[in-house]
Amino acid sequence: MAHSWFGHFLIFRSGELADIQQELVVRGETVERVYSSYRNERYIVNRRYQRKLIWTLEEKQSFIDSLAKGLPVPIILLAEPKDAKAGTYELIDGMQRLNAVTSFINNEYAIEGGYFDLNTFAEAKALLDSGELEQKEPVLDRSLCVAIAGYPVPLSIYESAEASSVDEVFRRINSGGRQLSRQELRVAGATDAFAQCVRVISSHVRGDASSTDIVSLNDMKNISITNRELEYGINADDVFWIKNNIITRDQLRQSRDEELIADLVAYMASDSPTASRTELFDDYYGSFFPRTGAREERFIAMDKAVKQRTTDLLSYDFSRVFDDIVLTIAHANSNFTQLLFADNNANNPAPRYFQAIFLAFHELMVRRNMIVSDRAGLVKQMVDCGKSIAIQEGGRWGAENRSNAVNAVVGMIQGFFEDNTAPDPAKVHWVSQFQNLLTSSRTEQSAYDFKQGFLKLADKPSFDEDAFRRILETCVAISNIAPKHRGYVVVGVAENEQTATRVSELFGTSSDAFNGFYVTGVEHEAKHLNKSLDDLFHDITQRLSASPISEPLKSVLNGRLKSVSYYDKTIFVFEVEGQKGPSLYDNRFFQRQGTQTQEVATEDLHSLFARFS
């Protein structure tokens, strides 16, 4: 039976105390019902403040063991946001626990040497019978599975919740610091420009970006990082920070990567060099109260500095500097610490050395508008250069010492840069951005589509008119998801290994594998057509201009079509955005059903137009 009462939340806002009275509903739901809600995607995660899946296998097994033995477990706190889809609940506290339960039933791990018996309750059995789930062996004793499935999970539902209240509740229930790191506490509920900028950049560098802040709990596995014996969507060893020995796995788990990026963003946004220390991070986020005097001044100053430059511009500048460093490391055929310390004494993480290198590249590329002119010479210069960079030890890094380290690196490498006199906005390097686009497609498949190219994979390849028409129909279908909804159609990425192999056989090229995708590029197609890449890009824009796509979508597509470089591959990206009303191709409406593009049936037109009303 559900119980309800009125709870009081005392919330600080700009030094004032506000008393918010809100009805809470507390009830127990069996694991079986919780799993049913999960399968129906009723649990959502707000990535603006929620952390990633971080529980180890042992922590998950311990929680399931508590259920099996009937021991009490902490209450799971949910919110029913005012603007959320009806019947969905936002997870405030308990994401790790709910994931432990649902992944156990999905047979993703065992307890006591056995896997959950999928014949225990009707929905799990139906998924087993349909082939959606596979029963792993050995099977746990049925009586134990029945006990787990029938356990009443305590849920507290915060009804009709305002977003600001949810943020504050999340921060307060974690403010003891028992589980969250200091950086996670800073982030909780922080909505200022600085916090937003750091969050977005951090997600892009880790590779766990999503197309929207609101993600189904079902999809969190796809954008979480492997945790020892738990296989998630992103391999921890492939994360830039770990791959280059800049921070450790444990530090990544504690969100130390976000601290590092916060340090860089503060330096980038400020007119003069900034120091690096814990108290400054606290002030930039404005997360700890009371926020008065010098702390308030620092918060306001940093918020103003980020807003003046805009989060979009800072994110863009960060990405192009970061990508150039990635390309330099790749050219060296090494990792970051091995490049800087050639004697192989690179077992210790080197976050401050990375900062010195990054900020030196930023000084040259952003503030002096320069580009790398001699990549091979730059790499040679950077070999073992770590020994020549004076880095201050200890918990604090003074502004002067930090600035001196950056200037020392600038002096070492500036001879391998030149003025960027003729930037081409149609051609940009996409490394982290492109990888995140691929990862984001796993959480919102309907807004993304990938094509291997524009040519038929026949023995005598020629331009595939039907495939190009389908590309444009898909662009229209993505634009019809909703007004302002963003999506992408990417050409130069094979949908599977077999297609990538066929491209290789026909054109004698190789593909770059990333997270289950195969990047083939389009250079080989331009060469086959006796065109330059510029000619091919121009041809595609001309075909797009002449196509029967309705306006204003056609102009938007043409204006945002990109030719981007991913290492040595070139990809064409059609960036789509939903317009004020539905768009058409050849006077027909199209929409996305999962990963498929379909013409809208007459009886479904009302539903399509309702999305834009």
PDB file of all heavy atoms in Angstrom, residues 438-449:
ATOM      1  N   LEU A 438      29.077   9.217 -33.090  1.00  0.00           N
ATOM      2  CA  LEU A 438      28.830   7.783 -33.218  1.00  0.00           C
ATOM      3  C   LEU A 438      28.257   7.210 -31.929  1.00  0.00           C
ATOM      4  O   LEU A 438      27.305   6.427 -31.954  1.00  0.00           O
ATOM      5  CB  LEU A 438      30.133   7.062 -33.584  1.00  0.00           C
ATOM      6  CG  LEU A 438      30.767   7.409 -34.938  1.00  0.00           C
ATOM      7  CD1 LEU A 438      32.089   6.676 -35.104  1.00  0.00           C
ATOM      8  CD2 LEU A 438      29.833   7.072 -36.090  1.00  0.00           C
ATOM      9  N   THR A 439      28.820   7.611 -30.793  1.00  0.00           N
ATOM     10  CA  THR A 439      28.336   7.110 -29.503  1.00  0.00           C
ATOM     11  C   THR A 439      26.920   7.588 -29.218  1.00  0.00           C
ATOM     12  O   THR A 439      26.078   6.825 -28.740  1.00  0.00           O
ATOM     13  CB  THR A 439      29.277   7.556 -28.370  1.00  0.00           C
ATOM     14  OG1 THR A 439      30.603   7.100 -28.650  1.00  0.00           O
ATOM     15  CG2 THR A 439      28.817   6.988 -27.031  1.00  0.00           C
ATOM     16  N   SER A 440      26.628   8.855 -29.522  1.00  0.00           N
ATOM     17  CA  SER A 440      25.296   9.402 -29.269  1.00  0.00           C
ATOM     18  C   SER A 440      24.225   8.664 -30.051  1.00  0.00           C
ATOM     19  O   SER A 440      23.071   8.572 -29.612  1.00  0.00           O
ATOM     20  CB  SER A 440      25.263  10.897 -29.631  1.00  0.00           C
ATOM     21  OG  SER A 440      26.115  11.637 -28.800  1.00  0.00           O
ATOM     22  N   SER A 441      24.598   8.117 -31.196  1.00  0.00           N
ATOM     23  CA  SER A 441      23.611   7.414 -32.024  1.00  0.00           C
ATOM     24  C   SER A 441      23.061   6.183 -31.329  1.00  0.00           C
ATOM     25  O   SER A 441      21.988   5.687 -31.680  1.00  0.00           O
ATOM     26  CB  SER A 441      24.240   7.013 -33.365  1.00  0.00           C
ATOM     27  OG  SER A 441      25.191   5.982 -33.207  1.00  0.00           O
ATOM     28  N   ARG A 442      23.766   5.689 -30.318  1.00  0.00           N
ATOM     29  CA  ARG A 442      23.301   4.492 -29.616  1.00  0.00           C
ATOM     30  C   ARG A 442      22.160   4.789 -28.647  1.00  0.00           C
ATOM     31  O   ARG A 442      21.422   3.889 -28.266  1.00  0.00           O
ATOM     32  CB  ARG A 442      24.463   3.843 -28.862  1.00  0.00           C
ATOM     33  CG  ARG A 442      25.584   3.349 -29.780  1.00  0.00           C
ATOM     34  CD  ARG A 442      26.621   2.566 -29.000  1.00  0.00           C
ATOM     35  NE  ARG A 442      27.687   2.082 -29.846  1.00  0.00           N
ATOM     36  CZ  ARG A 442      27.629   0.998 -30.610  1.00  0.00           C
ATOM     37  NH1 ARG A 442      26.519   0.283 -30.629  1.00  0.00           N
ATOM     38  NH2 ARG A 442      28.657   0.617 -31.335  1.00  0.00           N
ATOM     39  N   THR A 443      22.016   6.034 -28.233  1.00  0.00           N
ATOM     40  CA  THR A 443      20.949   6.377 -27.298  1.00  0.00           C
ATOM     41  C   THR A 443      19.734   6.984 -27.983  1.00  0.00           C
ATOM     42  O   THR A 443      18.678   7.092 -27.373  1.00  0.00           O
ATOM     43  CB  THR A 443      21.453   7.362 -26.223  1.00  0.00           C
ATOM     44  OG1 THR A 443      21.923   8.551 -26.861  1.00  0.00           O
ATOM     45  CG2 THR A 443      22.574   6.735 -25.411  1.00  0.00           C
ATOM     46  N   GLU A 444      19.879   7.393 -29.237  1.00  0.00           N
ATOM     47  CA  GLU A 444      18.733   7.941 -29.981  1.00  0.00           C
ATOM     48  C   GLU A 444      18.894   7.567 -31.457  1.00  0.00           C
ATOM     49  O   GLU A 444      19.208   8.386 -32.302  1.00  0.00           O
ATOM     50  CB  GLU A 444      18.646   9.460 -29.818  1.00  0.00           C
ATOM     51  CG  GLU A 444      17.305  10.002 -30.287  1.00  0.00           C
ATOM     52  CD  GLU A 444      17.244  11.515 -30.235  1.00  0.00           C
ATOM     53  OE1 GLU A 444      18.258  12.145 -29.899  1.00  0.00           O
ATOM     54  OE2 GLU A 444      16.185  12.062 -30.556  1.00  0.00           O
ATOM     55  N   GLN A 445      18.666   6.300 -31.731  1.00  0.00           N
ATOM     56  CA  GLN A 445      18.954   5.768 -33.061  1.00  0.00           C
ATOM     57  C   GLN A 445      18.145   6.434 -34.155  1.00  0.00           C
ATOM     58  O   GLN A 445      18.611   6.560 -35.291  1.00  0.00           O
ATOM     59  CB  GLN A 445      18.709   4.258 -33.071  1.00  0.00           C
ATOM     60  CG  GLN A 445      19.664   3.477 -32.185  1.00  0.00           C
ATOM     61  CD  GLN A 445      19.407   1.988 -32.233  1.00  0.00           C
ATOM     62  OE1 GLN A 445      18.354   1.533 -32.663  1.00  0.00           O
ATOM     63  NE2 GLN A 445      20.389   1.210 -31.792  1.00  0.00           N
ATOM     64  N   SER A 446      16.931   6.875 -33.843  1.00  0.00           N
ATOM     65  CA  SER A 446      16.075   7.444 -34.883  1.00  0.00           C
ATOM     66  C   SER A 446      16.637   8.743 -35.452  1.00  0.00           C
ATOM     67  O   SER A 446      16.287   9.133 -36.574  1.00  0.00           O
ATOM     68  CB  SER A 446      14.663   7.685 -34.337  1.00  0.00           C
ATOM     69  OG  SER A 446      14.694   8.607 -33.267  1.00  0.00           O
ATOM     70  N   ALA A 447      17.490   9.434 -34.710  1.00  0.00           N
ATOM     71  CA  ALA A 447      18.009  10.733 -35.152  1.00  0.00           C
ATOM     72  C   ALA A 447      19.349  10.619 -35.880  1.00  0.00           C
ATOM     73  O   ALA A 447      19.944  11.635 -36.230  1.00  0.00           O
ATOM     74  CB  ALA A 447      18.150  11.677 -33.969  1.00  0.00           C
ATOM     75  N   TYR A 448      19.809   9.401 -36.136  1.00  0.00           N
ATOM     76  CA  TYR A 448      21.100   9.198 -36.781  1.00  0.00           C
ATOM     77  C   TYR A 448      20.985   8.131 -37.866  1.00  0.00           C
ATOM     78  O   TYR A 448      20.220   7.176 -37.739  1.00  0.00           O
ATOM     79  CB  TYR A 448      22.163   8.752 -35.762  1.00  0.00           C
ATOM     80  CG  TYR A 448      22.454   9.761 -34.695  1.00  0.00           C
ATOM     81  CD1 TYR A 448      21.619   9.893 -33.581  1.00  0.00           C
ATOM     82  CD2 TYR A 448      23.560  10.593 -34.772  1.00  0.00           C
ATOM     83  CE1 TYR A 448      21.879  10.827 -32.588  1.00  0.00           C
ATOM     84  CE2 TYR A 448      23.842  11.522 -33.785  1.00  0.00           C
ATOM     85  CZ  TYR A 448      22.992  11.636 -32.697  1.00  0.00           C
ATOM     86  OH  TYR A 448      23.254  12.557 -31.713  1.00  0.00           O
ATOM     87  N   ASP A 449      21.756   8.305 -38.930  1.00  0.00           N
ATOM     88  CA  ASP A 449      21.832   7.269 -39.951  1.00  0.00           C
ATOM     89  C   ASP A 449      23.217   7.316 -40.576  1.00  0.00           C
ATOM     90  O   ASP A 449      23.844   8.389 -40.651  1.00  0.00           O
ATOM     91  CB  ASP A 449      20.759   7.468 -41.024  1.00  0.00           C
ATOM     92  CG  ASP A 449      20.483   6.180 -41.802  1.00  0.00           C
ATOM     93  OD1 ASP A 449      20.779   5.092 -41.267  1.00  0.00           O
ATOM     94  OD2 ASP A 449      19.981   6.258 -42.931  1.00  0.00           O
TER      95      ASP A 449
END
